Amino acid sequence: MTREVWNTRTGFILAAIGSAVGLGNIWRFSYIAYENGGGAFLIPYLIALLTAGIPLLILEFGLGSKFLGSAPIALKRAKKSFEWMGWWGVIASFIITTYYSVIVGWSFVYLVKAFTLGWGSDTGAFFNNELLHVSDSPWNLGNFSYPVLIGLLMTWLIVWVIEKKGVQAGIEKSSRIFMPLLWILLIVLVLRAITLEGSINGIEWYLKPDFSKLTDIKVWQAAYGQAFYSLGLGMAIMITYSSYLPKKSDIVNNAFIISLADGAFSFIMGFAVFGTLGYMAYAKGLGIEEVVAQSIGLVFVVLPEALNMLPGLKTLTAVAFFLCIVIAALSSLISLVEAFASAIMDKFEMKRSKAVDLTICFGLLFSLIYATRAGIYWLDIIDHFINTYGLIIVGILETVAIGWIYGADKIREWANAYSDIRAGIWWDICIKIIIPAVLLYIVYRETRSNLAAPYGGYDPAAIMVGAGIIVLGIIVSFFMSFIKKEIE
Ligand code: PHE
């Protein structure tokens, strides 16, 4: 079978940006900045991008384009015994797929509601009771929330249609529509936010630099964690996407463009988020610290309330906001699905059409768990573990395996061959020393805090199930690498 290729360099760049820009850019970056030194946080963030995000992206692009395979096969071609690491990235991606799709499902429901501000005046009650019908414990699944189920099915249907069409006609083409639209929506949202009364106070909170924070190790941990997550490193995605590059592709410059675009999106989005929060605090006569929120609470509870309070252009802003969420998350979801489907295609020499059907069937099946009344608990628990013990661990494995065993210099030479900017010896140092050391430290800190107290105050048994799923994923990864039927 001949491997699919991107039609144009721009198409590849847009698809990779589509994967990187996701919910994290919207609901996490600005909050992390706010908590970790405001404007001063840009310093550790940029350093994290330059010393970890970009170098690892170059490594993953190098692997994919050199070995022309999805993560397991690319790593296997570097060295036979590396294959399971690729599978661990693929399976971690799959686990994320199952709940990420549900968040896209919620977003679709909100997008429809946005036309009439249909979430009503009590946005917390709408989200928790009316929409999710959250039960009292992770063990009480109850039945499905039907609006969520419909949103979820719609999400899978769209992903299915795009994935079936393949790299050029599906992923590349949709990125060419989604990405420009996403940036337009971003600009619309920022303009609306900064023209609101009180927005400047919010933005001041977002960016007021506190340089004393730079001596706090937690701030650096946050910067590296966010840079890493945002680019979707260690998730088999960037290896897969770069395996569709034509020969003689620029690797290094592409990695810079994609990472900086991703960082810029996050930074600019912060003006929309904190501008709107600033307005809300002003309108309610509260301090910013009383309205600030992140993650699910920000997008599905706090901002809908702020949208209710806008002095004008309510519907337009609400629709723009949820469309932005849907597009950002959908293009990331597509990349997650592609990482899995592509690995199956390679391993079993399966046709795209069949691999996509299989991936979507399994994905849909497992995602149903999160559409139950206890879904949000499981989403929270599994998301917590997979980020540390999925992405970060794979990042460590990749850098050690390729940097030390296979040879960083071989990938560097490959990456430099057709690149405008050339990676120097600094790159080897980042790959061999800085990245594994920093990531190892993050795992150590996370493990310590996980052992000190059960995450989120959940029932320890539920935590065990969450952690158990991760362990199961690792076992399956080994198993996959032992199955024989495969291309060499
Ligand atoms: N990077 C995406 C975000 O910021 C999420 C993502 C993580 C996508 C892992 C793919 C893989 O939301």
Side-chain angles (χ1 to χ4, degrees), residues 19-25 96 100 229-232 235 237 332 335-336:
S19 169
V21 174
L23 293 165
N25 302 61
I96 296 186
Y100 213 83
Y229 176 79
S230 194
L231 291 170
M235 303 305 300
I237 293 169
S332 296
S335 71
L336 285 159

Side-chain angles (χ1 to χ4, degrees), residues 99-400:
Y99 63 82
Y100 213 83
S101 57
V102 180
I103 301 174
V104 183
W106 298 343
S107 311
F108 267 122
V109 174
Y110 271 76
L111 178 57
V112 172
K113 296 271 178 199
F115 287 91
T116 55
L117 301 180
W119 41 71
S121 53
D122 189 344
T123 52
F126 173 78
F127 181 66
N128 292 308
N129 308 339
E130 226 173 287
L131 184 62
L132 302 193
H133 227 73
V134 180
S135 68
D136 54 3
S137 98
W139 307 111
N140 187 358
L141 296 182
N143 43 15
F144 292 119
S145 152
Y146 289 101
V148 172
L149 206 55
I150 294 169
L152 182 64
L153 289 176
M154 197 161 128
T155 303
W156 281 113
L157 182 70
I158 297 174
V159 174
W160 183 69
V161 169
I162 293 175
E163 277 289 297
K164 277 284 229 206
K165 287 187 194 280
V167 173
Q168 283 194 11
I171 304 174
E172 184 163 355
K173 207 162 170 197
S174 63
S175 305
R176 281 187 176 275
I177 302 167
F178 285 162
M179 288 308 108
L181 185 57
L182 188 65
W183 286 82
I184 292 171
L185 290 169
L186 172 70
I187 293 167
V188 168
L189 291 171
V190 170
L191 288 179
R192 171 72 280 211
I194 60 176
T195 48
L196 292 167
E197 200 112 18
S199 63
I200 191 71
N201 301 332
I203 292 166
E204 203 185 321
W205 273 100
Y206 165 41
L207 291 178
K208 195 172 59 187
D210 175 0
F211 289 99
S212 69
K213 286 261 189 188
L214 298 189
T215 52
D216 184 349
I217 197 93
K218 278 212 312 263
V219 171
W220 290 86
Q221 184 184 342
Y224 277 89
Q226 174 68 12
F228 206 71
Y229 176 79
S230 194
L231 291 170
L233 295 164
M235 303 305 300
I237 293 169
M238 294 303 188
I239 299 184
T240 306
Y241 271 15
S242 60
S243 74
Y244 304 132
L245 280 170
K247 275 209 174 74
K248 306 192 182 172
S249 291
D250 185 313
I251 302 289
V252 182
N253 206 8
N254 281 354
F256 272 90
I257 295 172
I258 292 158
S259 312
L260 295 177
D262 177 61
F265 190 96
S266 296
F267 176 66
I268 299 170
M269 191 70 198
F271 287 81
V273 170
F274 272 80
T276 310
L277 291 176
Y279 163 74
M280 189 175 174
Y282 161 84
K284 289 179 127 183
L286 297 172
I288 193 91
E289 64 285 353
E290 291 170 274
V291 298
V292 76
Q294 64 159 338
S295 186
I296 292 170
L298 173 76
V299 167
F300 298 106
V301 178
V302 176
L303 286 178
E305 188 187 344
L307 290 164
N308 285 344
M309 295 167 67
L310 293 186
L313 301 173
K314 279 189 205 191
T315 314
L316 177 88
T317 317
V319 171
F321 179 67
F322 282 103
L323 194 60
C324 183
I325 298 273
V326 163
I327 292 175
L330 202 55
S331 50
S332 296
L333 182 62
I334 289 167
S335 71
L336 285 159
V337 170
E338 178 63 17
F340 189 85
S342 171
I344 308 191
M345 282 182 247
D346 284 352
K347 178 89 183 179
F348 302 105
E349 290 185 53
M350 200 184 278
K351 285 231 162 56
R352 164 171 290 272
S353 176
K354 196 168 159 204
V356 167
D357 289 347
L358 269 177
T359 310
I360 304 262
C361 280
F362 277 114
L364 172 61
L365 196 70
F366 285 104
S367 66
L368 290 177
I369 298 166
Y370 306 100
T372 62
R373 294 181 55 187
I376 195 167
Y377 298 126
W378 293 108
L379 192 161
D380 188 25
I381 293 170
I382 291 175
D383 178 63
H384 172 73
F385 285 109
I386 199 77
N387 286 324
T388 312
Y389 302 103
L391 292 88
I392 303 234
I393 296 270
V394 177
I396 298 172
L397 292 171
E398 265 176 16
T399 47
V400 172

Side-chain angles (χ1 to χ4, degrees), residues 50 52-65 231 233 238 242 251-256 259 411-412 414-416 419 421-424 426-427 431:
L50 289 172
I54 295 173
L56 199 48
L57 193 57
I58 294 172
L59 177 83
E60 295 203 345
F61 283 171
L63 277 175
S65 64
L231 291 170
L233 295 164
M238 294 303 188
S242 60
I251 302 289
V252 182
N253 206 8
N254 281 354
F256 272 90
S259 312
I411 295 288
R412 173 161 49 82
W414 169 267
N416 279 341
S419 296
I421 322 171
R422 297 164 64 86
W426 60 269
W427 184 80
I431 293 295

